Amino acid sequence: MDRRKFFLLTYGCQMNKLDSELIASRMIQAGFEETEREEEAQVLLLNTCSIRESAEDRVWGRIGAMKARKKKDPEVIIGVLGCMAQEHKVFLRTRMPHIDVVCGTREFGRIDALVRESIETRKGVIATGEGGNGDLVQRELSCRPMRAQAFVNIIRGCNMPCTYCIVPATRGPEVSRPVDAIREEVERLVADGVTEVTLLGQTVNAYGHDLERGTDLALLLRELHQIPALRRISFVTSHPSFLTPRLMEAMAALPRVSRYFHLPAQSGSNQVLKAMKRGYTRERYLARIRDLKGLIPEMEFACDFIAGFPGETEEDHRQSLSLIEEVGFSQSFVFKYSPRKGTVSADYLRDDVPEEVKARRNQELLQTQERVSLARNRAQVGEVREILVEGPSKTRKDRYTGRTARNRIVHFANEDPNLVGRYVPVRIVEAQAHSLIGVLQEETRTVLEGDGVLAGKGRAEGASQ
Ligand code: SAH
Ligand code: SF4
Ligand code: F3S
């Protein structure tokens, strides 16, 4: 069979980006070839996100735009994967009949077969059951975008009852991967040049509850920490309810575990937290942060907030603002509440915060966070930090970008591509709210010459969450 080319566009969270690596792996193993040029591909794949209406609208627009191509070239196969495929199933094709393949979040392990079937039968193919476990795909090492960094799935799905969230419906119940399978994958990545791994799960710190007794994230971290060439280990996203003393102790005992901790609160108000069914109060959330800071004083925290949840008052909103100040997050991701059909809050609560109020609260949360971030970043000026160099800066040709162990983005003047994938010290000279400016420490240049590692090719990417 001819080597058909496929083009893969990814929307949504880190989990989806990793799934796209596995989707590409499967396609390549089946004899397809990846291209970054949509116009030369015969198979167009979109890995999609349902988290907010705006995320879905972007995808609908993109699929709509592919109609002209399909008309001109009826042999082209259009496949929709991921959360929107799982959520809308057959209705995707009802709304847009030019879609050929609908592949849910637990079927992409056989995406190649679904595409082949559609090519051969010239019919629509819909798979939204549990037929192709993505974690059984042998990952192609060449598919990851960064040579030195990799994401590794450890738990899929979500069992939590958050009333606003579509993820439990699109991703299904939690299933942890066996420790051995994870360790093997990490070892294979490390042998291929990876020095930083990020373990992924929607409730990553619930890892292991469905496995053998005693298996949890603490145990997994201790296992992975023994791999000598692994310099940084992080994990996202954690739920405050599963931040156990055992996990905190493991983090404190393992110096290569990241000192940046993403712990979404969603709101600072107990009334709203209750309506969201998050399972903790503001006080308990703060107590967890205090406990962890007690064990690891240099720990930095990041947060997610939803602005304008049903029933949120000005006072509730002020509680979220004050949580940002009180914890001093280094970063927050802020979203306007978006009702998702089929979730409790959309079906039983009235979306009663007017759009302009949501927008203002969203803005105020962002501004407060920016102020806090800037103050924290200014405190870094003058310090020397080790960064892992990721590649050329997106905005300036004469600069490169890297990240510190606490996940701060640092831009620095450099034109040497051999530094990519290397750990280098930089002196911080300037602070902005979202990044730092650093100067490469001269003495390291000579030491580092000779064995540089180059970045792999990037994949076309849509909106991120
Ligand atoms: N599993 C992770 C992240 C889930 S989705 C966690 O529990 O933290 C990422 C973020 O999207 C959430 O943290 C939340 O802030 C936001 N989000 C989820 N559903 C939303 C909705 N219906 N409207 C607006 N934001 C939402
Ligand atoms: Fe959604 Fe809550 Fe699960 Fe996170 S923990 S994915 S917010 S249901
Ligand atoms: Fe991720 Fe979006 Fe699905 S955030 S889990 S891709 S709904």
Side-chain angles (χ1 to χ4, degrees):
M1 142 145 226
D2 62 326
R3 277 168 72 82
R4 283 174 201 252
K5 290 192 173 152
F6 73 94
F7 170 76
L8 173 56
L9 194 56
T10 307
Y11 296 82
C13 61
Q14 215 47 261
M15 190 83 75
N16 250 22
K17 289 178 190 160
L18 175 58
D19 285 353
S20 282
E21 284 185 40
L22 300 174
I23 290 162
S25 298
R26 204 50 234 133
M27 292 292 283
I28 290 166
Q29 286 154 7
F32 292 87
E33 193 181 323
E34 186 168 15
T35 173
E36 286 170 33
R37 292 175 49 210
E38 184 175 347
E39 64 282 6
E40 66 169 29
Q42 292 90 43
V43 181
L44 310 178
L45 301 176
L46 295 99
N47 192 13
T48 62
C49 173
S50 291
I51 199 79
R52 284 167 289 277
E53 198 175 344
S54 54
E56 289 209 349
D57 286 346
R58 271 195 293 272
V59 177
W60 285 122
R62 200 69 163 78
I63 306 172
M66 288 174 172
K67 200 171 174 177
R69 174 79 198 281
K70 180 88 182 175
K71 213 167 175 181
K72 211 170 67 197
D73 186 359
E75 298 286 300
V76 163
I77 297 288
I78 298 177
V80 179
L81 301 99
C83 290
M84 276 176 77
Q86 195 68 43
E87 171 68 2
H88 300 295
K89 301 186 172 68
V90 61
F91 296 107
L92 273 180
R93 294 195 72 238
T94 313
R95 178 161 166 185
M96 297 205 172
H98 63 291
I99 296 172
D100 299 285
V101 176
V102 176
C103 174
T105 52
R106 280 157 288 166
E107 296 278 10
F108 68 80
R110 58 190 186 106
I111 179 64
D112 53 310
L114 302 173
V115 168
R116 283 261 151 82
E117 187 184 330
S118 184
I119 293 172
E120 279 156 23
T121 61
R122 294 174 169 265
K123 286 204 178 110
V125 175
I126 297 170
T128 50
E130 297 176 25
N133 184 349
D135 288 327
L136 298 181
V137 173
Q138 175 78 330
R139 179 177 183 164
E140 285 290 322
L141 296 175
S142 62
C143 284
R144 68 177 188 279
M146 308 264 210
R147 274 295 266 140
Q149 291 156 288
F151 293 92
V152 173
N153 176 56
I154 68 165
I155 178 170
R156 287 191 178 273
C158 181
N159 290 356
M160 300 308 283
C162 307
T163 52
Y164 50 83
C165 186
I166 195 82
V167 171
T170 62
R171 293 263 164 183
E174 287 167 8
V175 183
S176 301
R177 277 178 88 187
V179 175
D180 288 347
I182 298 167
R183 199 203 311 105
E184 270 165 37
E185 185 174 327
V186 173
E187 279 169 351
R188 224 157 59 83
L189 288 161
V190 167
D192 194 53
V194 166
T195 55
E196 179 181 288
V197 289
T198 304
L199 309 176
L200 291 184
Q202 290 296 349
T203 50
V204 73
N205 55 339
Y207 172 75
H209 68 83
D210 52 340
L211 298 175
E212 203 178 314
R213 239 181 111 94
T215 308
D216 61 2
L217 183 58
L219 179 133
L220 182 66
L221 291 174
R222 288 183 192 273
E223 280 274 328
L224 298 180
H225 208 267
Q226 290 170 14
I227 302 174
L230 207 50
R231 292 180 59 162
R232 291 180 180 176
I233 307 173
S234 53
F235 50 91
V236 282
T237 311
S238 295
H239 191 289
S241 298
F242 308 115
L243 184 48
T244 60
R246 224 176 100 88
L247 176 57
M248 292 195 242
E249 281 156 22
M251 291 166 76
L254 305 171
R256 285 181 277 131
V257 168
S258 174
R259 268 43 182 147
Y260 167 89
F261 195 45
H262 189 178
L263 193 66
Q266 311 298 356
S267 169
S269 150
N270 284 337
Q271 198 253 129
V272 175
L273 287 170
K274 197 165 171 204
M276 289 177 163
K277 280 209 171 35
R278 285 290 288 178
Y280 52 85
T281 57
R282 176 192 179 97
E283 293 70 29
R284 261 185 62 201
Y285 179 86
L286 285 168
R288 293 281 148 89
I289 299 257
R290 247 192 323 272
D291 290 347
L292 198 49
K293 269 191 180 162
L295 285 171
I296 312 172
E298 72 274 22
M299 192 59 123
E300 305 250 5
F301 294 90
C303 200
D304 288 4
F305 287 98
I306 295 179
F309 187 77
E312 186 188 71
T313 62
E314 277 310 306
E315 176 50 31
D316 293 325
H317 169 58
R318 275 194 291 276
Q319 299 260 323
S320 290
L321 294 174
S322 75
L323 191 72
I324 296 178
E325 308 263 8
E326 195 167 340
V327 178
F329 295 112
S330 61
Q331 202 179 9
S332 284
F333 302 90
V334 181
F335 310 102
K336 284 186 286 181
Y337 170 69
S338 168
R340 311 308 293 132
K341 215 162 151 258
T343 62
V344 173
S345 68
D347 294 353
Y348 298 101
L349 303 175
R350 208 158 54 84
D351 183 17
D352 57 358
V353 179
E355 180 55 32
E356 63 274 15
V357 176
K358 272 186 201 166
R360 173 183 46 82
R361 290 182 187 168
N362 188 76
Q363 208 43 34
E364 285 174 3
L365 286 161
L366 285 174
Q367 281 164 356
T368 302
Q369 181 58 58
E370 285 209 353
R371 196 159 29 76
V372 171
S373 301
L374 186 59
R376 296 188 71 91
N377 280 349
R378 283 201 174 127
Q380 308 266 321
V381 172
E383 304 282 330
V384 174
R385 293 275 178 258
E386 183 184 68
I387 60 167
L388 170 56
V389 181
E390 295 187 346
S393 145
K394 288 192 184 105
T395 49
R396 278 183 54 170
K397 274 210 162 94
D398 54 339
R399 276 184 180 173
Y400 273 60
T401 302
R403 267 173 215 266
T404 69
R406 282 181 251 167
N407 205 33
R408 281 210 168 73
I409 295 171
V410 183
H411 304 290
F412 63 103
N414 175 52
E415 284 171 4
D416 177 5
N418 289 326
L419 287 192
V420 175
R422 308 298 314 246
Y423 293 82
V424 297
V426 289
R427 183 176 296 283
I428 308 302
V429 291
E430 198 186 317
Q432 294 163 354
H434 302 288
S435 60
L436 299 166
I437 309 293
V439 175
L440 190 61
Q441 296 306 92
E442 276 301 321
E443 63 270 27
T444 63
R445 278 179 182 267
T446 45
V447 181
L448 292 168
E449 265 164 24
D451 57 345
V453 184
L454 285 171
K457 71 176 164 107
R459 175 160 305 115
E461 198 178 279
S464 62
Q465 70 164 297

